[in-house]
Amino acid sequence: MSYREKIERYKKQQLTEEETKEVEAEIEKTEAISDYLADRLMDDLDEDFFAKDGDEQADTKEKMEQSTASAKEFEAYVKKSIHRSFRRMGMVVGGAVLAVVLFVQFGMSPLMSSLYYNPTKTDMVETKSGDITYETSYSQIGMDFHVYAELGLPCKGSDNLQAFSNGYGNYQILITPSISFGTKRGTATAGQIRKGKLELYNPNYLQGPPVNYFAGYGLDRDRDFVSQMKENVVEEDGELTIYNQWFYGTLEDGQEAIAELEDDNTMYQAYVSFDRPKTFTEVNEILNSLKEQDAWPSLVWIAVYGSEDGGVTVGYDYDTPQSMTPVSLNEKYPELSLYEKEGYDDADYENVKKKMQDESVMTQHLVSMLRYMGDQHKFVNMMEEYTSGIFDKSIADYIEENGISSYGFSCIATKADMQKMLEMDDIIGIVPESWN
């Protein structure tokens, strides 16, 4: 066995005890010889150095001092580089932090707002009158809520709706009800929109009309409603069994409810039912007849069939021509705004009042409102908690094909006004509610 092989076996602990002792003795001897030779080498170098003459020693000393100086310069350079690197790193980190802060403050809020419904989005429209230029502002929620309310919130429209941004998709809103002849400003309602979700402090404000407030709900449209109401009341052993779906059990119950109201000037929201479906012209004749009897219902909203079975209730305002949408939208939604000019104009206002007596115009107006609302996906999704179904495309298609047919109307009226309505042959029942 060679000595190299013996060493390899020693490292692997494969030697006998005797062989192991021999190798360790050799290692100890080799280490002692190595130490001795190292000491001899250092002594020889010292003798050689001090054997040189004085000039060589001075030169060597100078070189050592230069080396020391160079080492110090290098140390200083290294420290300076490190400090510079840290400064650069600090600037980069500081810049990154500043960028994040600026993004959070000025970038994230608009980005978050773009992801959700933004009620404060505004369209500015300029109009000229002679040498004067006027600016009209249309807020997104002002337009959307106006159309929404005219379609499904009788007597609860607003001509003054404000929204205030809190940043990051959050907003405060204030809805102030419209006023009309004989009415006063109703109680405003407020709330907040948080990332596309509406939270009203008075959620009942957005409650639409219950369909069974109108007597014709669920009845055959081809027959008069009075006879059908009577057919749905069966008397057995002095007890009445009522099968109709109207809010009151019988027409007499509804008349008694009106008679029991206080004889003062309290105003109610009245849901007025016709004796059968009425055409656009017939509805106008009924309302004109009421004025001749010195009955002046306000904020009149006409309920319109939105489907063949009558299960969908939509409508339009009869006597409150408001300019809450820009005229430019009429290019996509004809007659969405009944006005032809931006800003108020006496002649244009009178023209709108004439349009509201034109069945073809009001049919198109109703259809365009439904189609406009169907395109406002974020707004509609936000309102789904309060209502659903009135913006379905099929409703617009049905009205466009079949025209306007009505089974009643809602309005703001006094007890005296409602009693005059019940004297008319065309009106068979009224459900009153406290207004505001």
Side-chain angles (χ1 to χ4, degrees), residues 46-65:
D46 288 343
E47 290 176 1
D48 183 61
F49 176 77
F50 290 109
K52 296 179 180 180
D53 58 30
D55 292 336
E56 289 180 348
Q57 290 186 31
D59 185 53
T60 302
K61 182 179 180 181
E62 183 179 349
K63 289 181 180 179
M64 292 177 66
E65 291 176 350

Side-chain angles (χ1 to χ4, degrees), residues 48-263:
D48 183 61
F49 176 77
F50 290 109
K52 296 179 180 180
D53 58 30
D55 292 336
E56 289 180 348
Q57 290 186 31
D59 185 53
T60 302
K61 182 179 180 181
E62 183 179 349
K63 289 181 180 179
M64 292 177 66
E65 291 176 350
Q66 290 178 355
S67 298
T68 302
S70 297
K72 291 182 178 180
E73 290 179 3
F74 179 73
E75 182 183 359
Y77 170 77
V78 170
K79 290 181 178 179
K80 185 176 181 180
S81 298
I82 293 173
H83 291 163
R84 187 184 299 115
S85 297
F86 274 111
R87 284 199 299 272
R88 288 177 179 172
M89 185 182 295
M91 292 175 65
V92 170
V93 173
V97 171
L98 179 61
V100 170
V101 171
L102 292 176
F103 173 73
V104 169
Q105 184 171 0
F106 301 106
M108 183 176 288
S109 181
L111 179 61
M112 290 289 288
S113 298
S114 69
L115 297 176
Y116 303 100
Y117 179 69
N118 180 3
T120 61
K121 180 183 177 183
T122 303
D123 288 337
M124 298 297 296
V125 179
E126 289 188 353
T127 55
K128 287 188 177 182
S129 178
D131 296 332
I132 303 176
T133 300
Y134 298 93
E135 282 192 342
T136 305
S137 174
Y138 296 94
S139 71
Q140 188 67 49
I141 195 169
M143 295 186 290
D144 294 345
F145 187 81
H146 167 69
V147 176
Y148 172 85
E150 184 170 354
L151 282 172
L153 287 180
C155 310
K156 293 181 180 178
S158 172
D159 52 12
N160 182 18
L161 200 152
Q162 302 175 65
F164 311 94
S165 176
N166 291 335
Y168 310 108
N170 300 323
Y171 308 89
Q172 294 288 333
I173 63 169
L174 178 65
I175 303 173
T176 305
S178 301
I179 58 174
S180 184
F181 175 80
T183 66
K184 59 183 178 179
R185 178 70 70 186
T187 303
T189 186
Q192 58 184 342
I193 299 173
R194 297 174 59 85
K195 296 179 175 57
K197 182 177 177 60
L198 175 63
E199 299 173 4
L200 277 186
Y201 304 137
N202 176 20
N204 292 332
Y205 185 86
L206 294 182
Q207 181 181 355
V211 288
N212 67 336
Y213 274 18
F214 296 101
Y217 174 66
L219 299 181
D220 186 348
R221 294 169 59 176
D222 296 327
R223 299 170 53 205
D224 73 279
F225 296 152
V226 175
S227 61
Q228 293 183 72
M229 292 282 289
K230 291 180 179 179
E231 290 171 2
N232 288 330
V233 178
V234 178
E235 183 175 359
E236 295 180 357
D237 300 328
E239 297 290 332
L240 292 180
T241 302
I242 301 170
Y243 297 99
N244 68 67
Q245 303 178 60
W246 192 39
F247 179 77
Y248 292 112
T250 64
L251 295 176
E252 290 73 20
D253 290 339
Q255 293 170 353
E256 290 177 7
I258 303 299
E260 292 173 358
L261 296 176
E262 294 294 332
D263 291 313

Side-chain angles (χ1 to χ4, degrees), residues 198 240 336 342 366:
L198 175 63
L240 292 180
L336 178 65
E342 299 290 359
L366 184 52

Side-chain angles (χ1 to χ4, degrees), residues 329-338 361 363-369 371:
L329 286 177
N330 285 2
E331 295 181 10
K332 183 175 182 180
Y333 309 100
E335 302 294 355
L336 178 65
S337 172
L338 296 175
V361 171
T363 300
Q364 181 60 65
H365 175 63
L366 184 52
V367 169
S368 289
M369 286 196 298
R371 298 205 189 286

